[in-house]
Amino acid sequence: MKLGVVGLPNVGKSTLFNAITHAGAEAANYPFCTIEPNVGVVAVPDERLQKLAALYESKKVTPAVIEFVDIAGLVKGASRGEGLGNKFLSHIREVDAIVHVVRCFEDENITHVESSIDPVRDIETINLELILSDIEAVQKRMDRVKNAARGGSDKAAAAEYAFLEKLLAHLEKEQPANTFPVTEEEQGLLDGLFLLSAKPVIYCANISEMEMGPDEESLPNVVKVREYAERHHAGELTICAKTEEELSQMSEEDRAMFLEEFGLKESGLDKLIKASYSLLGLISYLTAGEKETRAWTIKKGTKAPQAAGKIHSDFEKGFIRAEVVDWETLLACGGLAGAREKGKVRSEGKEYVMKDGDVVLFRFNV
């Protein structure tokens, strides 16, 4: 899973990126300090792995990972190349989802490109640039299929052109592609366009250290971001990027004490990962043993053979069955042998839909 971290300049993107990847991307008080996208990979925190690894005394623990791409600050006019915008927009095209950092804090020492704090205005500035870039992409595609669509003899081209006309009208109303209603057949056409505004979005309301605490969700600017996200069927969360950077440098024990002191149940990184999994419809199944305990990320609704294919294509080709037990049940039974004795291990076939937290042993023959 690859997530692109975007936002206007000086909203806290690179600070958040530093926190979640320890990659040390430069954070400076001026636009365009991030010229090439910084890329970092972060492990997905998963208590289930540690508990299973302790049970099996595993030599290796391999968590699921998320790749974060810190994309330079976009500005008004990016779709026309302002602020090296076209280059940055191409970086967004390569990610699975967008993490849109929105400045909700006041700080006279950190300049704002619009000279004032207005989270909804800032969101719409970037969203409009994505939409304008998509309008250009749709118009180019229409030019390519126009001749084939004329006269109606090429039915596929005619259907695509009609679809593109409807999509263009939607975008020209400054509505993102991810709110355009499509049929199952049209979804393939939409996916093939790789539009920027079609990507799922999580809005991160970036607040100050002074605003952190149990009441942070009721802050006026945070409420504005949440209401905007709800209207546009997007994900949202509240984060203090500066604090996340400090947390990333603490020991696990100190981090837990810090969060408790502020009345917070989890770090911003944990919230971001959960929101990302939910937004993209992802779950993890687990494999466990003496050699390795590992998490495997799959889409919700994935069936057992395709899940097995994540490990190796031979597992999918020669799939026989999956021996499945819930991770908590496995722990309670003291391992697979104990779970078998108590009749807790299920033998599942090709139509079994995997569940989050399944511990699986695949049987196959090639």
Side-chain angles (χ1 to χ4, degrees), residues 100-318:
H100 187 157
V101 183
V102 187
R103 180 170 168 177
C104 293
F105 65 88
E106 298 277 357
D107 189 332
E108 60 185 21
N109 296 315
I110 301 177
T111 59
H112 189 291
V113 290
E114 296 287 352
S115 303
S116 63
I117 305 303
D118 184 340
V120 172
R121 175 203 61 204
D122 293 352
I123 288 171
E124 291 184 336
T125 294
I126 285 190
N127 285 353
L128 180 58
E129 294 308 318
L130 301 185
I131 290 167
L132 290 172
S133 178
D134 287 346
I135 287 173
E136 186 179 346
V138 171
Q139 288 172 333
K140 284 180 179 176
R141 181 63 188 167
M142 290 175 76
D143 288 342
R144 282 200 291 271
V145 300
K146 184 188 291 183
N147 288 338
R150 276 190 182 137
S153 56
D154 186 335
K155 291 184 179 179
E160 182 181 358
Y161 194 82
F163 166 76
L164 292 169
E165 281 185 315
K166 290 188 294 180
L167 176 58
L168 181 61
H170 178 84
L171 293 169
E172 286 177 338
K173 292 175 187 172
E174 298 185 4
Q175 298 297 314
N178 59 17
T179 63
F180 182 61
V182 291
T183 64
E184 191 173 330
E185 187 178 336
E186 289 172 335
Q187 186 65 53
L189 292 172
L190 183 62
D191 293 342
L193 292 166
F194 302 103
L195 299 181
L196 303 179
S197 70
K199 294 185 182 296
V201 184
I202 299 169
Y203 293 108
C204 288
N206 188 16
I207 61 173
S208 71
E209 295 168 293
M210 301 295 292
E211 294 171 315
M212 285 177 58
D215 299 325
E216 63 187 31
E217 296 300 329
S218 59
L219 294 168
N221 282 331
V222 172
V223 171
K224 288 176 185 176
V225 173
R226 184 166 60 250
E227 288 176 346
Y228 185 93
E230 286 171 356
R231 287 197 305 273
H232 293 81
H233 310 292
E236 59 82 26
L237 57 91
T238 306
I239 205 164
C240 174
K242 194 172 180 183
T243 296
E244 290 301 317
E245 190 171 30
E246 292 168 7
L247 282 171
S248 71
Q249 297 163 16
M250 295 182 188
S251 67
E252 200 168 321
E253 189 178 325
D254 288 345
R255 195 181 305 125
M257 288 174 60
F258 184 95
L259 292 171
E260 187 178 348
E261 186 180 331
F262 277 89
L264 302 172
K265 294 178 181 177
E266 56 189 348
S267 71
L269 173 57
D270 288 346
K271 288 196 291 185
L272 179 54
I273 288 170
K274 285 179 181 176
S276 303
Y277 266 62
S278 175
L279 188 71
L280 293 172
L282 300 176
I283 60 171
S284 292
Y285 76 85
L286 314 166
T287 53
E290 188 181 335
K291 285 185 178 179
E292 182 183 37
T293 292
R294 182 165 181 164
W296 303 87
T297 301
I298 55 174
K299 281 269 190 185
K300 280 180 186 174
T302 299
K303 292 182 179 179
Q306 288 69 50
K310 289 283 288 186
I311 300 175
H312 197 286
S313 58
D314 285 349
F315 283 32
E316 183 175 355
K317 288 175 190 172

Side-chain angles (χ1 to χ4, degrees), residues 69-116:
V69 183
D70 179 28
I71 297 168
L74 292 168
V75 294
K76 193 179 290 184
S79 60
R80 300 189 305 276
E82 294 291 330
L84 305 178
N86 285 328
K87 189 175 183 183
F88 302 150
L89 290 169
S90 71
H91 294 147
I92 298 173
R93 206 173 297 283
E94 297 168 6
V95 302
D96 298 308
I98 294 170
V99 176
H100 187 157
V101 183
V102 187
R103 180 170 168 177
C104 293
F105 65 88
E106 298 277 357
D107 189 332
E108 60 185 21
N109 296 315
I110 301 177
T111 59
H112 189 291
V113 290
E114 296 287 352
S115 303
S116 63

